[in-house]
Amino acid sequence: MRRRLRDDRGSALVEFSWLAIILLVPLVWIVISVFEVQQGAFATSAAARAAGRAYALAPDDATGEARAEAVVRQVLADQGTPGQRATVTVSCQTPGDSCHVGTSVITVRVDSAVDLPLFPDILGKGAASFSLDATHTVPIGQYVVSAPPDGEGRGR
């Protein structure tokens, strides 16, 4: 009885195809995730800078906080990340009660997170996210010329 030999022609192509699928799919996911995180980092940094400027240009602290929040939402939408969540925290180093005096230094911190794309929900609770934050410090006098105390320096 004669045994029939198995023909191996074409098996290398099949093996290469499966290996390419197994290696390329995670690699493509990693590259897309890195791009999403980088886009979110740029958006968060731009949002912190714009929020600091908006706060400094506001006439008072309450208006400044409202403007900073609105600017952060707008900048994130403009950068292509409209669904990105963000929290704005404003602090200032000032000798008085108001952050809007000539020697104040305003620090704006924007905390946000970027959801990783195509992450299956069965691996955890909801989509996986990458936490981002950016801080921008603005001396109040950089954008606003404060009035001198007691009318000094006014025209004669």
Side-chain angles (χ1 to χ4, degrees), residues 16-156:
F16 177 76
S17 298
W18 279 110
L19 188 63
I21 290 171
I22 290 172
L23 293 177
L24 283 179
V25 169
L27 181 66
V28 168
W29 180 80
I30 289 170
V31 169
I32 290 172
S33 296
V34 166
F35 288 154
E36 289 286 326
V37 169
Q38 187 64 43
Q39 181 183 18
F42 284 146
T44 304
S45 178
R49 185 176 184 281
R53 186 167 191 267
Y55 191 92
L57 288 172
D60 56 39
D61 294 344
T63 306
E65 287 191 31
R67 286 183 183 176
E69 291 276 344
V71 164
V72 166
R73 284 191 306 274
Q74 184 63 47
V75 168
L76 292 177
D78 287 348
Q79 293 286 332
T81 58
Q84 187 174 349
R85 302 173 306 275
T87 304
V88 181
T89 308
V90 179
S91 61
C92 65
Q93 299 169 354
T94 181
D97 294 338
S98 174
C99 289
H100 285 84
V101 295
T103 59
S104 291
V105 176
I106 299 167
T107 302
V108 177
R109 180 181 170 102
V110 177
D111 294 307
S112 66
V114 174
D115 292 335
L116 297 179
L118 307 172
F119 195 81
D121 288 335
I122 58 174
L123 295 179
K125 295 179 181 177
S129 63
F130 195 88
S131 179
L132 301 167
D133 66 81
T135 304
H136 186 70
T137 302
V138 179
I140 193 71
Q142 181 174 355
Y143 296 114
V144 178
V145 177
S146 296
D150 299 328
E152 295 175 13
R154 293 188 181 178
R156 295 181 176 123

